[in-house]
Amino acid sequence: MAANGNGNGARATGPRCVALVGPFQSGKTTLLEAILARTAAIPRQGGVEAGNTVGDASKEARHHKMSVELTVATTTCMGDAYTFLDSPGSVEFVHDMRAVLPAIDAAVVVCELDEKKIPQLQLILRELEDRKIPRILFVNKIDKAEAGVHDVLTMLQPASRTKLILRQIPTFNGDIISGFVDLALERAFVYKEHAASEVVPLEGDAADLEKTARFSMLETLADHDDVLMEQLLEDIQPPRDKVFDDLRSELREGFVCPVLMGTAARANGVLRLLKALRHESPGIVETAKRLGVKAGNEALAYVLKTLNTAHGGKMSVVRMLAGQAGDGTTFLTEDDEAGRVAGVFKLVGQTTEKRGPAALGETVAFAKLDKAKTGDTLTAGKQAHAALVKIAPYPPVLAIAISAKERKDDVKLGLALSKLVEEDPSITIVHNPETHEVVLWGQGEMHLRVATERLSDRFGVAIERRTPSVGYRETIRKGIVQRGRHKKQSGGHGQYGDVVLDIKPMPRSSGFSFEDKIAGGVVPRNYIPSVEEGIIDALKHGPLGFPVVDLHVALVDGSYHTVDSSDMAFRTAGRIGIVEGLPQCQPVLLEPIHLVEILCPTEATAKINALMSGRRGQILGFDTREGWDGWDVVRAKMPEVEIGDLIVEIRSATAGAGTFTFKFDHMAELTGRTADQIIAARRAAE
Ligand SMILES: Nc1nc2c(ncn2[C@@H]2O[C@H](COP(=O)(O)OP(=O)(O)O)[C@@H](O)[C@H]2O)c(=O)[nH]1
Ligand SMILES: [Mg+2]
């Protein structure tokens, strides 16, 4: 138990690292802007609409008017250095957020009073809860909030497994929220645009509301503090310092999640938020403890983000978890050399400023750590520290096939792709040996679009993109005995090979098997492997245009010529046997069917079921999602081709919160119009 107010000691000191997280469009980038302006890191607060924020300054972010990657900005607030990490809220870029979580002291979860965004908020809070990261909710856009004060917790609590406590209540001027009462300070404030709020007397209705709200805040705190509980029962007013101590220790212990509010766009409520961070959030000492870092002299750092700039320079944004490091420090990753630091920088978005060595707790960029990747644990010295945490990216859900527009860029593309993955491990690259496609797997449409934009903007490779091929196959429905004869007599040496093949269909997923049934040496033994090779070669491309599977071929008869027969000739004979035989075997298309599991908020389950049925899905059933109130799991079998852009529709049916995984299940025969179209398209492409 925390208890008694002195459980966690005084306020943390030293440099902090705080992530701004939350649903898409909740105002994180705007809040960062307000914080930077408030702390004089920038002269004036820019806006997302105006396209002049520190957060969304990359070419891709400006272009799409949304955050598409992590922004790092360091500022000074009341004498302490604070690095804020503005994380993209879109689920497609969520790995940028997840990757920083291990190294932060606390998260500010920016949210709105909007029912539709609750599932997304829930997803983010889950992640923070699971990783035991202290978090403060900042209810933004309070200028537009329609829900009454009393609705705040009713609406938000279902998203949080940790008890929320309302730290502030709004005050009104008519219908408009004009300020707030801080329940711990017991002080009323009136918002001033882009300036500190003004203290006003706490009186009238506000004073009554404050009493009730404060009491319920204290009641929640008392759940983990027996002394406070007794004071409340005996109607004793707890001293203000005691309340602050409890707020601090219970936040750090993960017993509560305080809720503050404001309007980032006008910098309202921002100073209070900064003060809450200053007084209540933990610092590097607690964070290192959370991560199990053994305090030593050796420098230890965690890579929050990797960036390859257009000019070829590489930057690793790190948080120092132990010791200090600067120019010339050589680092190891968990399993390799990371490189030697050549330049230490302070970051404010796109602006970099050269600085001295980085001390414990600071968040800086190191230049030239050639092999460091996002998520790596870096150690100076001879003995590499084990990886502190490895956050596996979510499995990718959408793919595109890409190629360099110009052949000469092929090698450059290869290099650029490996840098892309180093920066963003939620991208996977798969080479399809059958189709020679390079397939880029990612977290959604925008994610893949931004990835290809980066390939051209940052790495200078223009890209062409296509829908990746589906792994169709074909098989046969009936058998045949077919002769394959290759005979050429064109002066000099001729060519002669002659085989008889017994071709038979086999059950699904038996692949291909070959059998030698030659008796009496009618085909000499040394030529038989060549016959098999010829067959295998022909099966790569069946009569419908796809690889042929699930058949058995026996070599039953044949003949040879003492002079003209050769490996080559028998190879060709084997090929001819297949090419001439298969069209008579009722070839049929096979399509891959996957087992799909969709996770969605319950209110979307019916929509999801309809969506799956509409895409030739066979629903296997649905269940409540274990450990997740208000969520379901839908299971279905579905053709691969229908899964192609499934994520786009799942997200639109679930306000971005739903997701799915899939796993190959079986190949199924496909006939009729759909099959005809696929075969025709294949022919047209050849
Ligand atoms: N009314 C109002 N709008 C805001 C506020 N904060 C942000 N916005 C707007 O909300 C939208 C999303 O903001 P942004 O900071 O990009 O959200 P992010 O996706 O969380 O980074 C933008 O159009 C902002 O101008 C606020 O406090 N009040
Ligand atoms: Mg943003």
Side-chain angles (χ1 to χ4, degrees), residues 335-371:
D335 47 20
D336 201 349
E337 288 174 357
R340 174 194 280 259
V341 177
V344 184
F345 297 88
K346 170 187 162 184
L347 300 178
V348 182
Q350 305 276 87
T351 316
T352 54
E353 186 185 305
K354 210 160 165 55
R355 47 156 290 165
L360 176 66
E362 288 193 301
T363 306
V364 300
F366 287 146
K368 294 278 179 319
L369 292 176
D370 286 337
K371 290 196 180 162

Side-chain angles (χ1 to χ4, degrees), residues 610-621:
L611 174 66
M612 301 301 283
S613 307
R615 289 182 162 232
R616 296 196 284 136
Q618 179 203 342
I619 310 269
L620 302 175

Side-chain angles (χ1 to χ4, degrees), residues 181-415:
V181 180
D182 187 288
L183 300 177
L185 280 173
E186 301 206 79
R187 226 180 259 165
F189 295 85
V190 170
Y191 289 134
K192 297 279 162 196
E193 198 150 341
H194 298 293
S197 301
E198 190 183 312
V199 180
V200 293
L202 176 55
E203 54 193 15
D205 281 356
D208 295 338
L209 283 172
E210 190 271 343
K211 287 226 155 42
T212 327
R214 178 176 159 89
F215 188 76
S216 74
M217 177 183 86
L218 294 178
E219 263 186 322
T220 308
L221 288 175
D223 285 344
H224 298 279
D225 181 346
D226 298 342
V227 177
L228 180 61
M229 183 64 93
E230 269 169 42
Q231 289 173 334
L232 292 185
L233 289 173
E234 287 166 23
D235 229 1
I236 301 171
Q237 268 298 318
R240 190 186 286 171
D241 282 353
K242 163 143 190 67
V243 174
F244 275 114
D245 281 350
D246 268 19
L247 283 167
R248 168 162 55 227
S249 62
E250 295 198 18
L251 168 68
R252 293 183 189 185
E253 296 283 339
F255 295 146
V256 297
C257 171
V259 181
L260 306 180
M261 56 189 67
T263 298
R266 294 187 200 151
N268 289 158
V270 171
L271 200 56
R272 272 293 120 206
L273 172 67
L274 290 171
K275 290 201 169 163
L277 287 172
R278 175 180 169 83
H279 291 284
E280 293 162 33
S281 94
I284 186 63
V285 175
E286 291 85 357
T287 301
K289 207 189 295 167
R290 188 183 81 220
L291 287 167
V293 173
K294 301 266 175 299
N297 297 326
E298 219 78 274
L300 189 74
Y302 175 86
V303 183
L304 303 166
K305 174 184 163 96
T306 309
L307 184 70
N308 291 285
T309 63
H311 322 291
K314 179 169 169 184
M315 293 276 205
S316 305
V317 183
V318 306
R319 176 126 204 248
M320 295 300 300
L321 299 173
Q324 60 158 332
D327 265 331
T329 304
T330 308
F331 277 112
L332 300 173
T333 67
E334 306 90 74
D335 47 20
D336 201 349
E337 288 174 357
R340 174 194 280 259
V341 177
V344 184
F345 297 88
K346 170 187 162 184
L347 300 178
V348 182
Q350 305 276 87
T351 316
T352 54
E353 186 185 305
K354 210 160 165 55
R355 47 156 290 165
L360 176 66
E362 288 193 301
T363 306
V364 300
F366 287 146
K368 294 278 179 319
L369 292 176
D370 286 337
K371 290 196 180 162
K373 303 183 298 303
T374 302
D376 280 351
T377 301
L378 304 178
T379 329
K382 293 200 173 58
Q383 192 70 45
H385 198 290
L388 288 168
V389 221
K390 274 285 169 199
I391 297 190
Y394 291 129
V397 288
L398 189 68
I400 51 169
I402 57 163
S403 55
K405 252 192 189 127
E406 296 182 47
R407 252 325 259 281
K408 67 171 173 54
D409 282 344
D410 279 357
V411 174
K412 213 160 142 194
L413 174 61
L415 289 173

Side-chain angles (χ1 to χ4, degrees), residues 588-611:
V588 61
L589 195 65
L590 292 177
E591 71 168 340
I593 307 288
H594 294 260
L595 196 60
V596 178
E597 215 174 79
I598 297 146
L599 303 171
C600 61
T602 305
E603 64 264 20
T605 304
K607 263 198 234 167
I608 294 291
N609 277 330
L611 174 66

Side-chain angles (χ1 to χ4, degrees), residues 24-25 27-30 48 55-56 66-69 86-89:
F24 185 48
Q25 294 258 299
K28 300 171 290 296
T29 303
T30 309
V48 171
D56 291 348
M66 63 181 271
S67 306
V68 297
E69 65 194 313
D86 173 19
S87 320

